[in-house]
């Protein structure tokens, strides 16, 4: 190594120890001198010690001897001393935790890695270590609200991703081009995973932030279910303004979710219809935010459905397979009209399945038809939710919901129609 690289690696080892030390010292900043086992200086020195161990390893190791003996020996000695002092502090304070010991060992190891291995990996490890240490309150709060059903859902997710997925065939099965079980299952994981992120956000943050947050997160799971639920609540006498804000937030998130899925699995479709979806979402989300700001004292309790419940996962997989088969069969038998009809009918219940299906058919149907099919599904879904609001909700709820949805669709349709001409004008101006 050249001198500049040596200083860079050694500096990173020290920096990792310093950022960990800042977090550890901050937690015990009110302790008197001599009452704290390890703080800023100690952890900085731990990172430096790891770096020095790495340099010694390079200097004394011979090609015939196993690598890592020096670093391992120093790490064992350091860990033993650190654990001893941490034990004495725990005995004196009556508070027992092994976190600082593990943090010290990790700091030393990352310092050694900075010298002997990847700088990028060492830096990322240091940031991750500090983030985990600083998230104690959030993680502890989340564990207090965690239920067995949610823990089971995490196990289901791991089984879906690492046991079921590798065992599924990738070759399409069935007529009209068939459906790939592996690709379908991967999309189930993707859809449920993004929804689960929203579910976890509510569990971690709580619903005290009001109907807007609850509605937005519900939109990740099912905006249609949110619209129906809020309509029924409004008919039962709950505040219609708050319920409209939640339902509109769910709609906005649903539009953004379709744009995101398109971008992830079929970018050309996202470029064509994404701006229109985003524009509609901005109208819905903006008005939802205005309503929520005027009604900050009222909230509605929700029981968010866990998207990784096994029945929900199986229903999603079956829906994806059914919609994919119907879309391919209709396109093959009836052409463009068949695909658009399936898109419209699928959108009445949900837009996720048709989004995934149309994106998978991009090579055979082209970008314009794929974008049109998604637009039809989005319009059908929005109209259906407006119909549910009129049929099930109070007039104060349904009229507001209907007007905002109509305005959002008009804005989205205008953007969709005007986008090609706008892009052409930009190209010609260059």
């Amino acid at each position: 190594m050249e001198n500049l690289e040596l200083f860079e690696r050694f500096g990173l080892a020290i920096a990792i120890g310093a950022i960990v030390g800042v977090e550890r010292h901050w937690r015990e900043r009110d302790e008197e001198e001599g009452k704290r086992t390890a703080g800023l200086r100690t952890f900085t020195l731990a990172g430096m010690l790891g770096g020095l161990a790495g340099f010694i390893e390079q200097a004394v190791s011979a090609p015939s001897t196993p690598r890592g003996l020096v670093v391992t020996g120093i790490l064992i000695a350091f860990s033993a001393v650190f654990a001893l002092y941490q034990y004495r502090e725990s005995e004196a304070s009556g508070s027992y935790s092994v976190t600082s010991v593990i943090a010290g060992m990790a700091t030393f190891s990352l310092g050694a890695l900075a010298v002997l291995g990847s700088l990028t990996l060492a830096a990322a490890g240091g940031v991750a270590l500090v983030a985990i240490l600083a998230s104690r309150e959030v993680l502890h709060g989340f564990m207090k609200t965690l239920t067995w059903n949610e823990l089971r859902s995490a196990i289901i997710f791991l089984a879906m991703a690492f046991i079921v997925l590798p065992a599924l065939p990738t070759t399409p099965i069935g007529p009209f081009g068939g459906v790939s079980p592996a690709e379908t299952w991967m999309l189930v994981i993707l859809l449920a995973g993004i929804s689960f992120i929203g579910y976890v956000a509510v569990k971690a943050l709580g619903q005290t932030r009001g109907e807007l947050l609850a509605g937005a997160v519900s939109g990740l799971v099912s905006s249609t279910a949110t619209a129906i639920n809020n309509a029924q609540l409004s008919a039962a006498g709950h505040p219609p303004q708050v319920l409209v804000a939640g339902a509109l937030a769910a709609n906005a998130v649903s539009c953004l979710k379709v744009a995101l899925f398109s971008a992830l699995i079929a970018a050309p479709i996202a470029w064509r219809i994404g701006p229109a979806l985003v524009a509609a979402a901005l109208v819905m989300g903006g008005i939802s935010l205005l309503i929520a700001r005027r009604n900050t004292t009222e909230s509605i309790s929700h029981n968010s459905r866990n998207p990784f419940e096994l029945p929900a996962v199986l229903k999603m997989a079956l829906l994806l397979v059914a919609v994919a088969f119907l879309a391919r069969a209709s396109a093959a038998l009836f052409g463009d009209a068949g695909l658009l009809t399936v898109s419209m009918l699928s959108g009445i219940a949900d837009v996720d399945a048709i989004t995934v299906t149309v994106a998978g058919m991009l090579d055979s149907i082209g970008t314009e038809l794929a974008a049109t099919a998604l637009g039809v599904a989005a319009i059908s879904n929005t109209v259906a939710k407006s119909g549910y609001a009129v049929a099930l909700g109070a007039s104060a709820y349904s009229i507001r919901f209907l007007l905002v949805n109509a305005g959002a669709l008009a804005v989205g349709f205008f953007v969709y129609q005007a986008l090609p001409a706008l892009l052409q004008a930009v190209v010609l101006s260059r």
Side-chain angles (χ1 to χ4, degrees), residues 156-169 181-182 185 189 310:
I156 290 174
F157 172 74
L158 294 175
M160 288 170 61
F162 299 105
I163 297 177
V164 179
L165 181 61
L168 293 175
W185 195 249
I189 295 173
L310 189 56

Side-chain angles (χ1 to χ4, degrees), residues 6-259:
L6 291 174
F7 280 112
E8 182 181 5
R9 289 180 175 277
F10 193 49
L12 177 60
I14 296 173
I16 291 172
I19 61 171
V20 175
V22 167
E23 194 281 335
R24 293 286 86 188
H25 198 123
W26 184 85
R27 290 198 175 276
E28 300 181 358
R29 61 191 183 279
D30 295 329
E31 294 288 340
E32 299 177 4
E33 290 295 329
K35 300 292 185 180
R36 180 176 50 248
T37 297
L40 175 59
R41 290 184 303 171
T42 302
F43 277 95
T44 302
L45 290 172
M48 178 185 290
L49 180 62
L52 289 173
F55 283 129
I56 296 172
E57 181 76 49
Q58 288 180 330
V60 303
S61 62
S64 59
T65 59
R67 293 287 304 271
L69 291 179
V70 173
V71 171
T72 302
I74 297 177
L75 174 60
I76 292 173
F78 165 77
S79 301
V81 173
F82 196 98
L84 175 62
Y85 276 89
Q86 187 66 40
Y87 172 76
R88 294 183 62 184
E89 179 183 331
S90 299
E91 285 285 303
S93 63
S95 176
Y96 296 90
S97 173
V98 77
T99 301
S100 289
V101 177
I102 301 299
M105 295 170 65
T107 302
F108 175 95
S109 301
L110 289 170
L113 178 63
V115 170
L116 295 174
S118 169
L119 285 170
T120 302
L121 184 59
V127 173
L129 176 59
V130 174
I132 293 171
L133 292 172
S135 302
R136 184 181 71 175
E137 286 75 16
V138 173
L139 294 175
H140 286 187
F142 176 71
M143 290 303 297
K144 289 180 180 179
T145 63
L146 185 68
T147 65
W148 164 244
N149 286 334
E150 292 148 9
L151 182 60
R152 183 183 61 188
S153 296
I155 297 172
I156 290 174
F157 172 74
L158 294 175
M160 288 170 61
F162 299 105
I163 297 177
V164 179
L165 181 61
L168 293 175
T170 57
T171 305
I173 300 173
F176 305 108
V179 177
S180 170
E183 290 183 4
T184 301
W185 195 249
M186 186 68 234
L187 293 170
V188 170
I189 295 173
L190 175 64
L191 291 170
I194 292 177
S195 298
F196 193 67
I197 292 173
Y199 179 86
V200 170
V202 168
K203 296 295 293 185
L205 299 175
Q207 293 180 346
T208 57
R209 298 176 186 268
E211 180 70 16
L212 190 65
L213 174 62
V217 173
S218 298
L220 285 169
V221 180
S222 175
S223 60
T224 303
T226 303
I228 293 174
N229 180 65
N230 284 16
Q232 293 172 334
L233 289 173
S234 71
H238 291 281
Q241 295 89 345
V242 177
L243 293 167
V244 169
L248 290 175
N251 280 5
V253 170
S254 179
C255 289
L256 295 176
K257 186 171 66 168
V258 173

Side-chain angles (χ1 to χ4, degrees), residues 420-430:
L422 179 61
L423 292 177
Q424 186 177 9
V426 171
V427 172
L428 292 176
S429 66
R430 295 182 177 179

Side-chain angles (χ1 to χ4, degrees), residues 360-426:
M361 298 172 62
L362 177 61
D363 293 338
S364 60
I365 64 176
T367 301
E368 194 64 28
L369 178 57
T372 302
L374 283 191
V376 168
I379 292 172
S380 172
N381 185 254
T382 305
V383 171
K385 286 181 285 193
S386 300
Y388 299 144
V390 173
L392 302 174
S395 58
Y397 170 87
S398 59
I399 291 174
R400 290 180 174 89
F401 191 63
L402 182 62
L403 290 176
V404 176
N405 280 340
L409 286 179
V411 170
F413 184 76
F414 173 79
V415 171
Y416 182 77
Q417 292 293 101
L419 185 61
L422 179 61
L423 292 177
Q424 186 177 9
V426 171

